[in-house]
Amino acid sequence: GIALAGSTALYFLCSDQANMELLNKAACQTIVTTMLAKPAKDDAGEAEEQSSGRVPLFKRRRIEEEKKKKADSESDVRQLIQDLMDSLGVPASLSDETKKELITPEHFMVMACTTISQHHAPFRDLFREVGGLTVCCNILTDSLLSISLDTKGVTTQVVPTWRLVRDLALIETLTHMNQANQTKLLEEHPDIMRSLVDLTHRLTGALRWLLKNAKDTTETVEEQQRRLGSCRLSALKTLVNLTNHNPVGCKQFGEAEGVSILLELLHWSTGKAGPEDHDCLTLGLGILINCTENNSFNVISLSSAIIIGGSEALEFLVSIFLGRIEEDKGRIAFDKMPVENLVIAAYTSVLLGCVLKDRADLLERVELALEGRGLKALGQVLEYFIVCHEEAAKGRGPQTEVDSLAEILDVLQKLIRSHAK
């Protein structure tokens, strides 16, 4: 009861920006300790003493009064929590009893840490230094292990996928633009990368199964799709962080057969118009860019991959690019392209540039797939995207991202010039 009340109070305190600024190591340690707190149990010895009749009457009354006060206090906390169910992200379809089981000190602290980490970057390092990152990785590992290996089974696992979305959101914020946290996670928990890749694969399979076979259960089909889609997006965002300029992450991703699984994801999402499908395409392309930029093993895996249906990966990527551009009298009409299509076309250009950077032998395949437009089309889209990106960022974004894009643009322009000769 005390741990639950304390974690509820900490949750509210940590939601205030001014309080976030005051966080120090001692406060972070308190958060970790509260996160690890287990539900209180009745004192067995006291219960046995009462049942044996050896407790004096006056003491028995005092014990009963204390128990009543404790029960009333816990009831007040539970009622407050009940009023907060929507903001705590608890699925409405769950029974009241299940909701009570889910709302624990751990849950409050995971939610609080996610909020703090999103809005106060110094917390990410402080939390790691007091052991918080390790604790959160263990919580995530437990959640990953609870997910069914069966495609159909995943669709009905409301609580495990809900926990995963919660835990992945925290890991995503803790590893965002924090090389030290990324490295510590990958070194201490090397299995997490494979688990995330495998989870992405299983969730994609579950979503495909839902479209063909699902019927409304305690959730509607749309609610199941939304829940599984949210979980997959959380996994993809975490993979983006763990592979961003991180050689260890890129190596582990390749060893987990991540390239082929991400290509399957792209194949599944291409041609669909939903916002979640666009996000999957963008994140999936981003992860493949991260993993092929400076990793020859992943480049080989991609260039030799065969997509479902028999088409080759490079040709498939070019088809994504061609499906997103608008042309007018033989020229790319940027003014007619929706922003979403420009982003996908630009990301595809970058990915193809990463592959071609050290593999000029693949140039002919890409040129052939471009159907006479040449590499110039890839370069034009990427150049226009960089200008738009810099204009939108106005110096606020990390310069490393712009530099990486400019480097790939330079690769494409050099290939264009050499091919022209």
Side-chain angles (χ1 to χ4, degrees):
I2 294 174
L4 186 62
S7 63
T8 307
L10 279 172
Y11 173 75
F12 283 111
L13 289 170
C14 292
S15 299
D16 182 82
Q17 184 67 43
N19 288 335
M20 292 181 195
E21 303 289 340
L22 298 174
L23 282 169
N24 55 23
K25 276 192 176 183
C28 291
Q29 185 62 65
T30 299
I31 290 173
V32 173
T33 302
T34 307
M35 189 181 285
L36 291 169
K38 302 297 181 186
K41 296 181 180 179
D42 293 332
D43 186 85
E46 187 179 88
E48 183 182 348
E49 186 180 36
Q50 280 188 266
S51 64
S52 67
R54 295 195 302 269
V55 182
L57 183 60
F58 76 90
K59 186 177 179 183
R60 197 178 306 167
R61 286 175 181 166
R62 180 171 57 78
I63 291 172
E64 292 299 329
E65 287 174 2
E66 289 175 355
K67 279 189 173 182
K68 186 177 184 304
K69 287 180 182 179
K70 183 179 178 182
D72 289 343
S73 175
E74 188 165 340
S75 176
D76 290 341
V77 173
R78 286 288 181 189
Q79 184 56 53
L80 175 63
I81 292 170
Q82 188 66 36
D83 296 338
L84 288 170
M85 282 297 178
D86 288 341
S87 62
L88 291 174
V90 179
S93 59
L94 299 178
S95 67
D96 289 342
E97 196 60 38
T98 303
K99 288 177 182 177
K100 285 182 181 180
E101 292 174 7
L102 289 175
I103 301 303
T104 61
E106 176 189 286
H107 178 67
F108 273 111
M109 291 300 90
V110 169
M111 297 289 284
C113 289
T114 302
T115 301
I116 300 167
S117 187
Q118 284 173 338
H119 297 97
H120 189 57
F123 170 77
R124 299 167 196 165
D125 289 314
L126 285 173
F127 196 60
R128 180 190 69 250
E129 289 166 9
V130 299
L133 179 63
T134 299
V135 170
C136 291
C137 286
N138 290 335
I139 292 173
L140 173 60
T141 298
D142 289 342
S143 295
L144 286 166
L145 289 172
S146 70
I147 287 290
S148 172
L149 294 173
D150 176 62
T151 296
K152 181 181 177 181
V154 174
T155 64
T156 58
Q157 288 188 298
V158 179
V159 173
T161 49
W162 174 75
R163 283 189 194 276
L164 262 179
V165 172
R166 179 199 73 177
D167 300 340
L168 285 167
L170 175 54
I171 295 296
E172 179 206 336
T173 61
L174 289 173
T175 55
H176 179 63
M177 295 180 68
N178 192 302
Q179 193 78 28
N181 282 355
Q182 295 167 14
T183 301
K184 184 175 180 65
L185 184 153
L186 292 167
E187 289 179 351
E188 290 189 356
H189 302 267
D191 291 339
I192 280 185
M193 177 65 75
R194 183 173 291 278
S195 296
L196 290 174
V197 170
D198 181 56
L199 175 67
T200 302
H201 177 61
R202 276 187 279 161
L203 289 172
T204 299
L207 285 162
R208 292 171 64 183
W209 184 90
L210 269 175
L211 284 179
K212 295 179 180 178
N213 306 289
K215 297 178 181 178
D216 290 355
T217 54
T218 53
E219 298 177 292
T220 65
V221 173
E222 289 73 20
E223 286 173 333
Q224 291 178 67
Q225 290 174 330
R226 190 161 51 248
R227 172 171 53 81
L228 296 176
S230 177
C231 190
R232 184 171 63 172
L233 284 178
S234 295
L236 290 171
K237 289 174 183 177
T238 306
L239 285 171
V240 168
N241 290 349
L242 295 179
T243 56
N244 186 29
H245 299 290
N246 195 311
V248 175
C250 293
K251 181 175 182 290
Q252 289 182 3
F253 179 84
E255 291 171 346
E257 300 180 14
V259 170
S260 61
I261 287 171
L262 262 290
L263 286 170
E264 178 189 347
L265 171 75
L266 296 184
H267 181 268
W268 171 247
S269 301
T270 301
K272 296 180 176 59
E276 199 259 343
D277 296 303
H278 170 76
D279 290 342
C280 277
L281 271 173
T282 307
L283 292 167
L285 288 167
I287 296 165
L288 289 174
I289 289 168
N290 289 348
C291 292
T292 55
E293 189 173 6
N294 293 298
N295 187 296
S296 58
F297 176 83
N298 289 329
V299 169
I300 292 170
S301 297
L302 190 149
S303 62
S304 60
I306 303 295
I307 307 297
I308 297 171
S311 60
E312 295 180 288
L314 282 182
E315 287 71 11
F316 165 67
L317 291 172
V318 173
S319 73
I320 293 179
F321 173 82
L322 295 178
R324 294 301 187 281
I325 62 173
E326 297 288 341
E327 295 178 290
D328 185 14
K329 298 178 181 179
R331 301 182 64 178
I332 298 177
F334 291 108
D335 58 326
K336 296 181 180 180
M337 289 175 63
V339 174
E340 294 83 358
N341 285 355
L342 173 62
V343 171
I344 297 298
Y347 274 40
T348 310
S349 298
V350 175
L351 179 53
L352 289 167
C354 289
V355 173
L356 294 173
K357 182 169 64 172
D358 298 313
R359 291 293 305 274
D361 57 303
L362 300 172
L363 183 58
E364 187 176 340
R365 282 176 57 187
V366 175
E367 286 270 15
L368 186 63
L370 283 165
E371 300 173 352
R373 296 170 182 82
L375 290 182
K376 187 177 179 181
L378 300 179
Q380 287 174 336
V381 169
L382 182 51
E383 187 171 16
Y384 184 80
F385 178 74
I386 291 173
V387 172
C388 294
H389 181 79
E390 290 182 313
E391 180 62 27
K394 295 187 183 300
R396 293 190 299 269
Q399 186 60 36
T400 52
E401 186 176 340
V402 176
D403 291 343
S404 295
L405 292 173
E407 182 183 338
I408 297 302
L409 177 59
D410 186 54
V411 168
L412 290 173
Q413 289 175 337
K414 284 180 179 177
L415 287 170
I416 292 167
R417 289 194 295 270
S418 64
H419 199 57
K421 295 176 183 178

